[in-house]
Amino acid sequence: MNGEAPVTAARVFGALLRRDAHVSARELPFFLVRTCLQPLLFVVVFGYLLPRMGFVARGYGAALLPGILAVSLALSSVQAVALPMVADFGFTREIDDRLLAPVPVRMVALEKVVFGVLQGLVAAAVVLPVARLIMGPVPGLTLAHAGALLGVTLLGAATFSALGLLLGTGIAPQQIGLMFSVIVAPMIFFGCAYYPWQGLSSVPVMKWAVLVNPLVYVAEGLRAALTPGSPRMPLSAVPVALAALTAGFWEWGARTFERRAIG
Amino acid sequence: MATPAVRTEGLRKVYPLPGHRRGRSAAAGQPAAGAQPAPREVVALHGLDLEIGKGELFGLLGPNGAGKTTAIGILTTRVRATAGTAAVAGTEVGRDPVAVKRRIGVVPQRPNPDHALTTLENLVFHAAYFGVPRAEALGRARRLLDQLELSAKAEAKVDQLSGGQQQRLMIARALVHDPEILFLDEPTVGLDPQARLALWDVLRRLHAEGRTILLTTHYMEEADRLCERLAILDHGRLLALDTPAGLKARAPGGTLIELVLDGDAQAAAATARALPGVLSAQAERATLRAYAERAGEAIGPLVRAAEGNGRAVRDVHLSPPSLETLFVSLTGRRLE
């Protein structure tokens, strides 16, 4: 018994990640439908139908495409972490076998967040080309700033995964519907996803109020990376805000996780 | 002396009652004038002292709410102690939970397999969380499934397993990383008698291999036949600790005769104490409990003693000296 050297935390982390990858691979189509269908339907209406009807200017696509990408990224990361966790802590307690793994409990939470980031990246990689295909040519769209694109995507996914940890550990199963109507829906509509932040200059109160919303920075950051010619906030504000929000959500979420994990 | 496998000192756990979590104002729960203030917390463990040696098969026996699950929860890093210390294999649980987790296997009271995985995957992934290489994990998993008669379900989703099969899967999972110390919380609840006996065999085999086993149960027979030593717990307190034989020797002499009456049993108990052949008698509300060396001869006089005091007898129950009669004498209540 116990002849082997103690297992390293990195190896345990890898095993936890493999478990989630194994389970998610089977559920990938459902996952993509759940998180990407709604943003893509939005693209069909606002990026394809309305411009052809002449109700919105053709240039709207330059603001819309990065915003749609931001919504898909945010939805998939938040759901990837929050939904299973609500069930785990609410009734199944299935996560207990992972909480018994020989690593600090926080590392189990960290693995969930890292996996949420990966799922956000997958969703973004699917939505970007499909949305572009539906919308047709988008004025000013460029992949020249791939570094910034990857950076904003990663940071944005981290912010929303950490938020997913906070929501998943803080919300009771019977309130999960409420979470979408009260937190997620307003976040999407006031997240500057369907309009650029500069456009809010006409409603100054709102322009400042929406800055608490992490989605604003993801959408604006993706505009800076993908369609830098369109109106947007300075790119330098994006990583600072996202890093601060990620750190806050992570610390708060990890504490709630520990409280739920250890009675 | 060798390091004990498990040791607790003054272990105490207090749970806040829902609605009285920290941070809530006291005013919210103001009781009406004159009313008893509602309790704000539940004391699950009142300073438990235990020492379990390496290789022992040890049982925590007690009714629901005795604190057994809480004690196991603290020892397995899943519950934070309010006060006192708990050490597993010489490591203090609160100080280094990771080192403790490395050496223990845990079977929870309610099976909680990973439903997204198959039976075999449950074991292989759990082994991976402990760093067991995949090929080795597969071999161990298949062996355990074989031993626990689950091989036919290896590729099945765990939803397709019966309650008993899920329970056995939990035992396999607790063993797949080859732990030194095995904790089982009420492992045979919900099993049919045959499955229970089969599980006893598994536990005896593991014990023979030298593993330390700590299990909780509220089944007297299980505690008596399976465990080397027993701690009897009630309301978070340790009432007695000994071998099953030692405990039974401490049970009051004679057979316990319980008469359930149609009203208070005080007067009947007083009369009963004077009867020849009755060793002792107490009343607990409508129940008269008497001990007698020759129970058959004592029943008639006891019934007449009750009736002489204006009570009708609703039920009579006999129990020879056992852990059950010891528990009754310690707590005034039955265990099951």
Side-chain angles (χ1 to χ4, degrees):
Chain A
M1 279 169 269
N2 250 305
E4 317 101 54
V7 57
T8 61
R11 257 185 93 183
V12 179
F13 191 86
L16 293 169
L17 216 49
R18 272 208 312 284
R19 181 264 172 205
D20 280 347
H22 179 81
V23 171
S24 302
R26 264 196 310 240
E27 289 165 5
L28 188 63
F30 308 102
F31 165 77
L32 288 176
V33 167
R34 203 170 62 217
T35 58
C36 301
L37 187 62
Q38 200 201 347
L40 286 175
L41 290 175
F42 208 90
V43 168
V44 172
V45 175
F46 287 88
Y48 179 79
L49 292 177
L50 293 192
R52 262 156 197 75
M53 294 177 193
F55 285 112
V56 296
R58 294 239 162 206
Y60 178 51
L64 181 64
L65 181 64
I68 289 294
L69 193 60
V71 170
S72 315
L73 184 68
L75 271 181
S76 51
S77 290
V78 123
Q79 292 189 29
V81 182
L83 293 185
M85 206 164 276
V86 166
D88 263 330
F89 281 128
F91 38 91
T92 67
R93 291 301 306 195
E94 283 178 36
I95 201 170
D96 278 12
D97 74 321
R98 278 148 274 162
L99 294 174
L100 285 168
V103 284
V105 163
R106 239 170 211 250
M107 188 165 279
V108 181
L110 181 66
E111 184 275 331
K112 287 285 168 202
V113 171
V114 168
F115 195 71
V117 172
L118 294 179
Q119 287 198 263
L121 293 184
V122 169
V126 170
V127 166
L128 181 60
V130 178
R132 162 66 184 77
L133 215 65
I134 296 171
M135 289 167 74
V138 174
L141 178 66
T142 169
L143 290 176
H145 312 294
L149 177 63
L150 188 66
V152 173
T153 307
L154 271 173
L155 258 178
T159 309
F160 280 92
S161 292
L163 177 63
L165 176 71
L166 178 59
L167 295 176
T169 50
I171 282 178
Q174 54 272 28
Q175 292 165 345
I176 193 110
L178 213 59
M179 172 182 108
F180 280 96
S181 357
V182 176
I183 299 174
V184 176
M187 194 176 269
I188 291 173
F189 283 100
F190 298 116
C192 297
Y194 307 131
Y195 43 84
W197 183 64
Q198 294 290 357
L200 286 177
S201 297
S202 46
V203 195
V205 179
M206 200 152 215
K207 187 174 181 185
W208 298 109
V210 297
L211 289 180
V212 299
N213 186 344
L215 188 58
V216 171
Y217 304 99
V218 184
E220 289 289 304
L222 289 175
R223 281 187 189 113
L226 282 171
T227 52
S230 61
R232 55 180 174 82
M233 71 167 58
L235 180 60
S236 57
V238 170
V240 177
L242 287 180
L245 286 164
T246 306
F249 290 149
W250 161 253
E251 188 54 38
W252 190 7
R255 277 178 200 201
T256 343
F257 185 88
E258 283 174 325
R259 235 189 347 264
R260 296 296 296 273
I262 304 175
Chain B
M1 209 192 98
T3 315
V6 170
R7 183 196 180 95
T8 70
E9 267 175 25
L11 199 59
R12 189 175 159 81
K13 177 64 185 178
V14 180
Y15 289 105
L17 278 179
H20 289 296
R21 293 202 179 282
R22 64 195 178 82
R24 295 278 173 91
S25 73
Q30 279 299 337
Q36 281 285 320
R40 281 157 191 281
E41 49 186 40
V42 175
V43 183
L45 281 180
H46 279 275
L48 180 67
D49 297 314
L50 270 187
E51 190 168 311
I52 300 169
K54 214 171 167 225
E56 253 194 291
L57 204 175
F58 192 96
L60 290 179
L61 176 67
N64 291 328
K68 310 184 300 280
T69 297
T70 302
I72 288 228
I74 294 172
L75 289 167
T76 56
T77 77
R78 304 295 333 288
V79 174
R80 221 183 299 269
T82 309
T85 58
V88 171
T91 305
E92 232 182 88
V93 182
R95 200 160 292 165
D96 191 355
V98 174
V100 170
K101 288 196 268 192
R102 216 174 270 139
R103 313 175 86 152
I104 62 172
V106 183
V107 178
Q109 192 164 26
R110 208 171 44 138
N112 58 356
D114 193 335
H115 282 268
L117 303 176
T118 66
T119 304
L120 184 67
E121 285 168 351
N122 259 275
L123 300 182
V124 173
F125 274 106
H126 194 75
Y129 305 151
F130 287 82
V132 181
R134 192 177 156 76
E136 163 84 23
L138 258 173
R140 282 192 205 177
R142 293 218 178 269
R143 264 197 309 280
L144 282 166
L145 290 180
D146 199 40
Q147 278 173 25
L148 292 159
E149 291 168 34
L150 286 168
S151 290
K153 297 278 184 181
E155 309 300 334
K157 282 291 191 80
V158 290
D159 298 329
Q160 295 160 14
L161 268 58
S162 71
Q165 288 170 329
Q166 289 197 11
Q167 189 65 22
R168 278 180 276 149
L169 173 59
M170 292 299 93
I171 293 166
R173 191 179 75 183
L175 289 170
V176 76
H177 56 287
D178 200 18
E180 282 169 58
I181 306 171
L182 192 59
F183 293 88
L184 303 102
D185 195 1
E186 303 267 7
T188 60
V189 165
L191 295 190
D192 59 56
Q194 199 185 343
R196 182 176 299 176
L197 290 177
L199 180 56
W200 289 1
D201 282 340
V202 172
L203 293 178
R204 287 193 183 106
R205 200 164 58 223
L206 293 169
H207 173 53
E209 289 170 9
R211 248 174 268 256
T212 310
I213 301 176
L214 172 57
L215 65 90
T216 73
T217 180
H218 64 266
Y219 295 121
M220 204 73 57
E221 194 198 355
E222 182 162 286
D224 190 359
R225 292 184 45 188
L226 195 58
C227 299
E228 291 176 306
R229 282 203 308 151
L230 282 176
I232 299 184
L233 251 60
D234 190 39
H235 292 308
R237 289 178 206 279
L238 180 66
L239 299 182
L241 194 161
D242 205 340
T243 61
L247 287 170
K248 279 185 282 187
R250 286 166 59 181
T255 296
L256 167 65
I257 307 158
E258 283 178 301
L259 281 74
V260 181
L261 311 180
D262 63 348
D264 189 83
Q266 287 295 349
T271 312
R273 277 193 276 274
L275 292 173
V278 171
L279 301 169
S280 68
Q282 300 91 33
E284 161 110 7
R285 283 190 282 267
T287 304
L288 166 64
R289 293 203 175 94
Y291 291 90
E293 289 297 353
R294 304 165 82 87
E297 291 171 13
I299 292 176
L302 281 170
V303 170
R304 279 192 293 281
E307 288 170 347
N309 284 286
R311 296 280 176 239
V313 177
R314 292 265 164 84
D315 190 27
V316 178
H317 188 85
L318 303 184
S319 321
S322 66
L323 293 174
E324 177 83 58
T325 62
L326 173 66
F327 187 81
V328 171
S329 76
L330 289 171
T331 65
R333 286 179 291 112
R334 287 195 159 270
L335 190 55
E336 283 170 62

